[in-house]
Amino acid sequence: MNKWYGDFQVLSDIHLEIKAGEVVVILGPSGSGKSTLLRCINQLETISDGELIVDGYNVQDKKTDINRLRQEIGMVFQHFHLYPHKTVLENITLAPRKVRKMPKEEAERIARQYLAKVGIPEKADSYPAQLSGGQQQRVAIARGLAMKPKIMLFDEPTSALDPEMIGEVLDVMRTLANEGMTMVVVTHEMGFAREVADRIIFMDGGRILEDATPDQFFNHPKEERTQVFLSKIL
Ligand code: ADP
Ligand code: MG
């Protein structure tokens, strides 16, 4: 598939298939189209041509219920996007109650379950501003999980965090990966990419230059551009 913004081609000849249970890490320099690719998968952006199939549904097909499909996709952003005037519990229960029409008690029970999973069960009644960045991002992950998505997309989830908080968020993501969640993760955390990814996608200039296992990618990159990228960050 391809995507243009006006006459600027942001994504070129993207061929990518993600299997259920796979953990795909997307690497690449700033401006290479990583966020745009995630946003296309989540239908926050539309593709210009080609085909995009999510959970078996072609998103361009007029019969596809895009809103329904988007409920199956959880997304975690660099800047947590929590509602500041709602408590942690309210932030997590909002979509399950409004979109899934879940009764309040059940939504809260599930929210507490996911808060425990991300390691902050005691923060249910706190407001986002009372939490550290790492805790806020863990709430954002719990909020995504509470919709019971089939796939979780992460766009640089640790890039806005102080260094000492990065580990706690990566630990939660590692646990999810080990439990079999299908994940697409844009990150600059090379240790995480190496350890947790089933596959590394390297993008530059809107193209996928490498689609490889972590071992292939880090130890035997095909493209010179990849070697330059790796030499700068490792
Ligand atoms: P990355 O996440 O890899 O840094 P992005 O997907 O955010 O890259 O952006 C890829 C390119 O598309 C960049 O050159 C960016 O300036 C451009 N771009 C992103 N969003 C828009 C938009 N809404 N309109 C026009 N250009 C955009
Ligand atoms: Mg980006």
Side-chain angles (χ1 to χ4, degrees):
M1 60 100 151
N2 295 286
K3 179 169 180 63
W4 282 267
Y5 285 123
D7 47 19
F8 171 67
Q9 186 162 12
V10 57
L11 295 175
S12 301
D13 293 332
I14 301 291
H15 293 272
L16 179 62
E17 187 178 340
I18 296 161
K19 298 195 167 63
E22 225 181 353
V23 178
V24 175
V25 167
I26 302 181
L27 303 177
S30 177
S32 56
K34 306 181 299 295
S35 294
T36 304
L37 179 57
L38 286 194
R39 293 169 63 82
C40 287
I41 296 172
N42 199 14
Q43 289 123 71
L44 291 167
E45 297 283 355
T46 53
I47 66 174
S48 305
D49 67 33
E51 227 180 27
L52 174 64
I53 295 172
V54 179
D55 192 27
Y57 294 92
N58 189 326
V59 302
Q60 286 99 295
D61 190 334
K62 289 191 177 57
K63 280 178 282 186
T64 299
D65 183 343
I66 296 291
N67 288 328
R68 185 76 182 272
L69 202 51
R70 290 194 62 204
Q71 294 174 26
E72 308 295 340
I73 304 173
M75 184 137 176
V76 174
F77 302 90
Q78 180 175 351
H79 302 285
F80 333 120
H81 296 242
L82 299 174
Y83 291 101
H85 303 298
K86 292 187 186 292
T87 66
V88 163
L89 205 64
E90 288 163 351
N91 267 281
I92 300 174
T93 55
L94 191 70
R97 290 184 62 192
K98 284 221 160 135
V99 180
R100 295 249 198 246
K101 312 284 181 221
M102 202 181 274
K104 184 166 185 258
E105 291 68 32
E106 190 188 350
E108 291 190 347
R109 184 178 58 74
I110 290 170
R112 287 182 195 281
Q113 189 184 314
Y114 283 112
L115 268 184
K117 185 175 182 70
V118 300
I120 41 173
E122 73 284 4
K123 299 296 184 190
D125 300 317
S126 301
Y127 287 87
Q130 298 170 315
L131 305 182
S132 71
Q135 290 170 336
Q136 289 184 58
Q137 192 60 301
R138 286 187 282 156
V139 171
I141 294 172
R143 177 180 58 182
L145 293 173
M147 286 292 280
K148 307 225 186 247
K150 292 192 174 153
I151 182 168
M152 286 285 285
L153 310 178
F154 295 86
D155 194 356
E156 301 199 29
T158 61
S159 293
L161 299 177
D162 291 335
E164 70 270 22
M165 292 168 190
I166 292 176
E168 66 196 44
V169 172
L170 294 179
D171 282 346
V172 169
M173 292 168 62
R174 190 178 288 113
T175 304
L176 280 181
N178 290 338
E179 290 172 356
M181 176 61 82
T182 309
M183 295 165 58
V184 183
V185 183
V186 174
T187 186
H188 298 292
E189 293 295 326
M190 296 300 141
F192 179 87
R194 226 183 241 277
E195 273 172 54
V196 183
D198 296 311
R199 247 161 92 203
I200 308 271
I201 301 291
F202 175 69
M203 293 183 67
D204 195 17
R207 293 180 182 277
I208 293 178
L209 294 193
E210 310 249 5
D211 181 345
T213 64
D215 175 58
Q216 284 166 344
F217 179 79
F218 286 107
N219 301 324
H220 316 284
K222 284 199 313 238
E223 301 283 335
E224 196 179 322
R225 186 66 196 82
T226 316
Q227 292 165 18
V228 173
F229 175 79
L230 288 172
S231 71
K232 282 189 194 149
I233 52 163
L234 293 180

